[in-house]
């Protein structure tokens, strides 16, 4: 039985992962072989879930990845039948050539093909699956898949690419496309693949995966034109109008490749574009969909790419991004998770269903824990007069990405390198080294409970807290308490980190600092929002949303509420 104690009743990402499991499980269509629905419209009466051509390698890949990561974080066991069905379906989509193919749908006329966007989710999930189990059968499927991705790539002297968005068993649709180098959007079909391929290479040493990373990175950086010289996104129609999800996902991938290869120039190249991207986003994490028709539609997928890229850059020495990413996690990532369901109207029966395509039944229960597909800065539902107006409120890609975003925040809250422990995000988190109790945003207080002797410990202090009024108290049973202040300049490293030196098992370290209350004006593609902050948390936004408003129900107290509980501590954790 888990031992409990009094902990702050503040944001716990592992709890959020448990909620995400509910939606990952609930999206399965029991009337259609467990294939998950792709999208939801929550503004209709009744709300509905619908299928789409993404249902196969893309959706299954993201749901398998999400299941594994959410279970790893939360320890929850719900949804095992649905997970087994997802895995069985997923493996059935592979053809003998090693690629994952879309299937026929009884209600739509699309044709089976190996879509290149799907293949990214395919290798992502195979990598996480192998990381979890070490199953040689999964590795066999993944090796064959990577070999296929290499085999079908068009290879020039210094770059590789795909000449179309879809591959068919008989080959590329048009040889003329290859002769004329009619490559589709390189970020969407090549750049984003680098991230999972690189991780697969790290785990297994697969050389095909590394070569694909090498030549796709060269394509993006040296030849593609996806990113302009100043780091901005090319907004031409041929480049998907500067589509943020695929651009930011590509930046995440190339940053990781730069770190892996020790290429500082690549990391600097990513930073330039990341800096530009941040100018188009709000400080709390809303991102445009693209720079044209989808500009007003924020995908949770884009935000998670923004989070992942920021973490890689922060680990590479751009330490200011730790604070940037924490604001994204505390605000738009967690606001984008659907937890309050009383506003969603649903049908009591299946009379309006179209089997294999649409359902109105039990929508609220089965989607609780999902993440926004297209949100506004102040509302879960985007229903503006601009762009495409109202489209999907949920998309299964955003459910998978949102779960991965929770994992990226959780797994990077506490990190270890060469024996030194760093507390990067001021979020509740347990580990084998120490626990972090975060009293934010109620109090400017973080308490560290040390479990093991640590040779070096440091904690990030938010930039708005300054340093002169930062203080700490170190207590250990049988010893006199020791206090100190951040005004000692020798206590700081990497601009934002307070160094605490060696720490001993059984020690409790309480760090306090003044909270910041401030107002900012945030711009989102021509829309202006007055945003009220307490520390790194948005506590109110104006104008208020109309469908399911964001940032309107957050309560802040003078003292943080407490609850009985504990954190998850794992001897072996995934590192993505």
């Amino acid at each position: 039985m888990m031992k409990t104690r009094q902990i702050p009743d503040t944001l716990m990402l592992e709890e959020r992962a448990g909620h995400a499991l509910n939606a990952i499980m609930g999206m399965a269509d029991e009337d259609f072989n467990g294939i998950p629905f792709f999208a939801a419209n929550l503004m209709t009466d009744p709300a509905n879930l619908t299928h789409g051509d993404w249902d196969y390698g893309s959706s299954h890949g993201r749901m398998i990845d999400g299941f594994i990561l959410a279970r790893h974080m939360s320890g929850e066991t719900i949804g095992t039948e649905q997970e087994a069905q997802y895995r069985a379906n997923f493996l059935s989509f592979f053809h003998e050539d090693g690629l994952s193919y879309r299937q026929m749908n009884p209600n739509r006329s699309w044709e089976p093909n190996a879509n290149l966007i799907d293949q990214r989710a395919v290798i992502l999930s195979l990598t996480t699956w192998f990381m979890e189990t070490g199953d040689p059968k999964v590795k066999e499927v993944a090796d064959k898949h990577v070999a296929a991705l290499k085999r079908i790539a068009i290879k020039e002297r210094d770059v590789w690419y795909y000449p179309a968005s879809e591959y068919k068993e008989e080959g590329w649709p048009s040889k003329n496309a290859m002769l004329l180098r009619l490559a589709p959007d390189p970020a969407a079909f090549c750049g984003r693949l680098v991230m999972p391929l690189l991780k697969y290479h790290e785990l297994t040493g697969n050389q095909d995966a590394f070569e694909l990373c090498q030549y796709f990175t060269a394509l993006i950086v040296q030849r593609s034109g996806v990113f302009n010289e100043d780091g901005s996104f090319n907004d031409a129609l041929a480049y998907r109008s500067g589509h943020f999800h695929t651009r930011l996902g590509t930046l995440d991938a190339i940053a990781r490749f730069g770190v892996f290869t020790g290429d500082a120039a690549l990391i600097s190249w990513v930073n330039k574009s990341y800096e530009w991207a941040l100018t188009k986003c709000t400080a709390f994490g809303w991102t445009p969909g693209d720079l044209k028709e989808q500009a007003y539609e924020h995908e949770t997928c884009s935000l998670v790419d923004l989070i992942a890229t920021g973490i890689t850059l922060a680990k590479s020495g751009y330490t200011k991004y730790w604070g940037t990413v924490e604001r994204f996690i505390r605000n738009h990532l967690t606001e984008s998770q659907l937890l309050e369901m009383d506003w969603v109207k649903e049908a009591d029966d299946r009379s309006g269903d179209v089997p294999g395509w649409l359902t109105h039944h039990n929508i609220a229960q089965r989607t609780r824990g999902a993440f926004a597909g297209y949100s506004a800065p102040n509302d879960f539902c985007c229903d503006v007069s601009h762009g495409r107006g109202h489209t999907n409120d949920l998309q299964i890609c955003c459910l998978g990405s949102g779960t991965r975003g929770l994992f990226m925040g959780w797994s990077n809250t506490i990190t270890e390198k060469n024996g030194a422990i760093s507390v990067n995000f001021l979020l509740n988190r347990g580990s084998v080294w120490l626990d972090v109790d975060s009293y934010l945003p109620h109090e400017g207080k973080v308490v560290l409970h040390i479990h093991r002797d640590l040779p070096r410990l440091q904690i990030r202090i938010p930039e708005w807290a300054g340093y002169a009024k930062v203080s700490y108290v170190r207590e250990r049973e049988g010893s006199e308490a020791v206090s100190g202040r951040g005004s000692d300049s020798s206590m700081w490293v990497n601009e934002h980190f307070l160094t605490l030196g060696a720490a001993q098992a059984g020690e409790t370290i309480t760090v306090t600092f003044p909270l910041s209350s401030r107002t900012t004006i945030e711009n989102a593609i021509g829309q202006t929002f007055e945003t009220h902050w307490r520390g790194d948390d948005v506590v109110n936004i104006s104008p208020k949303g109309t469908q399911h408003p964001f940032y309107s129900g957050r309560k802040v107290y003078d003292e943080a509420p407490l609850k009985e509980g504990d954190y998850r501590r794992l001897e072996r954790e995934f590192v993505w």
Side-chain angles (χ1 to χ4, degrees):
M1 185 174 179
M2 185 178 72
K3 184 179 179 181
T4 64
R5 61 181 178 86
Q6 289 285 294
I7 62 174
D9 190 7
T10 55
L11 179 61
M12 286 181 63
L13 298 182
E14 60 203 59
E15 287 184 348
R16 293 304 192 101
H19 293 307
L21 276 174
N22 177 77
I24 295 171
M25 171 184 70
M27 295 298 279
D29 185 351
E30 297 175 356
D31 298 326
F32 192 42
N33 197 36
I35 290 174
F37 288 99
F38 175 71
N41 186 334
L42 302 178
M43 287 176 57
T44 60
D45 185 5
N48 64 59
L49 283 167
T50 54
H51 284 287
D53 57 349
W54 301 99
D55 286 352
Y56 304 102
S58 178
S59 291
H60 280 78
R62 288 177 181 271
M63 292 301 91
I64 293 168
D65 180 66
F67 256 130
I68 294 169
L69 297 183
R71 289 199 196 289
H72 184 73
M73 291 175 65
S74 68
E76 295 282 355
T77 58
I78 62 170
T80 53
E81 291 184 10
Q82 289 82 1
E83 183 177 10
Q85 184 67 68
Y86 285 160
R87 294 193 190 209
N89 286 345
F90 176 75
L91 293 177
S92 75
F93 302 150
F94 287 93
H95 287 200
E96 189 57 37
D97 63 5
L99 297 172
S100 176
Y101 281 76
R102 294 183 175 186
Q103 309 297 297
M104 297 292 289
N105 179 283
N107 296 283
R108 291 295 184 273
S109 60
W110 58 68
E111 58 183 349
N113 66 81
N115 183 281
L116 270 300
I117 290 182
D118 293 0
Q119 309 309 309
R120 187 259 187 186
V122 168
I123 188 59
L124 179 78
S125 60
L126 287 171
T127 300
T128 309
W129 190 346
F130 180 71
M131 188 186 299
E132 176 204 26
T133 64
D135 187 340
K137 293 182 180 178
V138 175
K139 183 177 183 298
E140 181 181 352
V141 174
D143 284 341
K144 189 173 181 180
H145 180 64
V146 173
L149 292 173
K150 178 180 176 180
R151 185 182 67 251
I152 68 172
I154 305 305
K155 302 170 183 69
E156 297 198 2
R157 182 181 63 85
D158 54 351
V159 299
W160 295 357
Y161 65 91
Y162 298 125
S165 60
E166 288 135 359
Y167 183 87
K168 302 185 71 174
E169 282 191 304
E170 57 269 25
W172 291 113
S174 171
K175 290 184 178 180
N176 195 45
M178 288 174 269
L179 293 172
L180 296 177
R181 298 178 176 174
L182 296 179
D185 177 34
F189 301 107
C190 301
R192 293 172 63 251
L193 266 168
V194 170
M195 187 274 274
L197 285 169
L198 179 62
K199 191 63 182 180
Y200 189 67
H201 168 72
E202 290 179 32
L203 289 172
T204 66
N206 184 293
Q207 290 303 305
D208 288 343
F210 181 80
E211 281 192 282
L212 285 161
C213 293
Q214 189 174 36
Y215 285 104
F216 286 164
T217 297
L219 168 70
I220 297 297
V221 175
Q222 300 170 17
R223 301 282 295 276
S224 71
V226 171
F227 300 91
N228 298 318
E229 283 295 319
D230 63 355
S232 61
F233 300 170
N234 190 329
D235 66 355
L237 184 60
Y239 294 98
R240 297 190 69 192
S241 303
H243 184 248
F244 264 64
H245 174 27
T246 50
R247 255 97 294 234
L248 291 169
T250 296
L251 291 178
D252 172 35
I254 293 176
R256 290 168 181 263
F257 190 69
V259 171
F260 183 79
T261 57
D263 191 334
L266 268 185
I267 299 169
S268 177
W269 181 90
V270 170
N271 179 62
K272 177 172 65 174
S273 197
Y274 190 73
E275 287 274 19
W276 177 87
L278 290 177
T279 68
K280 301 297 179 183
C281 306
T282 67
F284 52 80
W286 182 91
T287 70
D290 65 14
L291 295 169
K292 300 294 182 181
E293 290 81 4
Q294 292 178 247
Y296 302 91
E297 303 165 13
H298 163 85
E299 291 182 77
T300 300
C301 292
S302 301
L303 172 55
V304 174
D305 295 329
L306 204 66
I307 287 169
T309 309
I311 289 172
T312 302
L313 289 172
K315 287 181 170 180
S316 302
Y318 296 91
T319 55
K320 63 182 178 181
Y321 294 134
W322 288 119
T324 302
V325 171
E326 179 160 339
R327 284 191 291 276
F328 295 163
I329 293 169
R330 285 182 170 275
N331 295 295
H332 223 64
L333 180 64
T334 53
E335 284 291 295
S336 294
Q337 190 173 23
L338 186 61
L339 299 179
E340 297 176 3
M341 308 304 302
D342 55 356
W343 61 285
V344 177
K345 298 178 176 61
E346 57 186 5
D348 295 329
D349 57 47
R350 298 175 181 267
S351 59
D353 288 7
V354 179
W357 186 250
L358 176 147
T359 184
H360 297 287
H361 185 250
N362 214 17
I363 305 300
Q365 179 182 327
R366 66 196 303 176
T367 61
R368 185 185 56 79
F371 288 82
Y374 290 129
S375 71
N378 62 348
D379 204 307
F380 193 94
C381 301
C382 180
D383 189 20
V384 297
S385 301
H386 317 289
R388 302 189 301 176
H390 176 256
T391 53
N392 295 329
D393 299 314
L394 298 178
Q395 296 181 127
I396 206 169
C397 55
C398 292
L399 171 54
S401 286
T403 305
R404 177 163 276 272
L406 296 175
F407 173 81
M408 292 302 295
W410 180 82
S411 62
N412 285 282
T413 293
I414 305 169
T415 55
E416 182 274 338
K417 186 173 184 180
N418 300 326
I421 303 298
S422 181
V423 178
N424 306 308
F425 299 133
L426 305 186
L427 299 167
N428 288 329
R429 174 72 158 94
S431 76
V432 295
W433 304 296
L434 79 163
D435 290 350
V436 180
D437 287 359
S438 175
Y439 290 72
L440 296 164
H442 310 285
E443 303 175 57
K445 182 168 78 171
V446 178
V447 182
L448 310 179
H449 300 271
I450 312 302
H451 301 317
R452 294 180 178 178
D453 290 346
L454 306 174
R456 182 175 173 82
L457 173 64
Q458 64 183 32
I459 179 172
R460 185 185 62 82
I461 304 298
E463 63 272 19
W464 42 259
Y467 69 94
K469 295 184 179 181
V470 176
S471 62
Y472 62 88
V473 177
R474 306 182 69 147
E475 300 171 280
R476 190 165 183 260
E477 189 175 348
S479 301
E480 186 177 345
V482 176
S483 61
R485 299 190 68 83
S487 53
D488 180 353
S489 59
S490 65
M491 299 288 295
W492 297 87
V493 295
N494 298 326
E495 190 173 359
H496 303 294
F497 283 84
L498 178 70
T499 61
L500 297 167
Q504 294 180 298
E507 187 175 5
T508 299
I509 306 174
T510 302
V511 181
T512 58
F513 43 81
L515 274 172
S516 165
S517 295
R518 62 197 186 280
T519 299
T520 64
I521 302 299
E522 302 294 331
N523 295 302
I525 311 296
Q527 305 168 88
T528 301
F529 298 90
E530 185 176 272
T531 308
H532 301 273
W533 300 78
R534 184 175 173 91
D536 279 326
D537 287 68
V538 175
V539 293
N540 195 26
I541 193 169
S542 180
K544 185 178 178 179
T546 58
Q547 301 298 325
H548 185 53
F550 281 161
Y551 306 112
S552 60
R554 292 188 165 192
K555 293 181 172 60
V556 179
Y557 306 99
D558 292 334
E559 294 185 2
L562 301 176
K563 66 179 180 180
E564 194 73 21
D566 202 2
Y567 309 120
R568 187 161 166 79
R569 303 177 191 90
L570 300 170
E571 289 287 340
R572 173 183 174 263
E573 294 189 8
F574 297 158
V575 178
W576 256 102

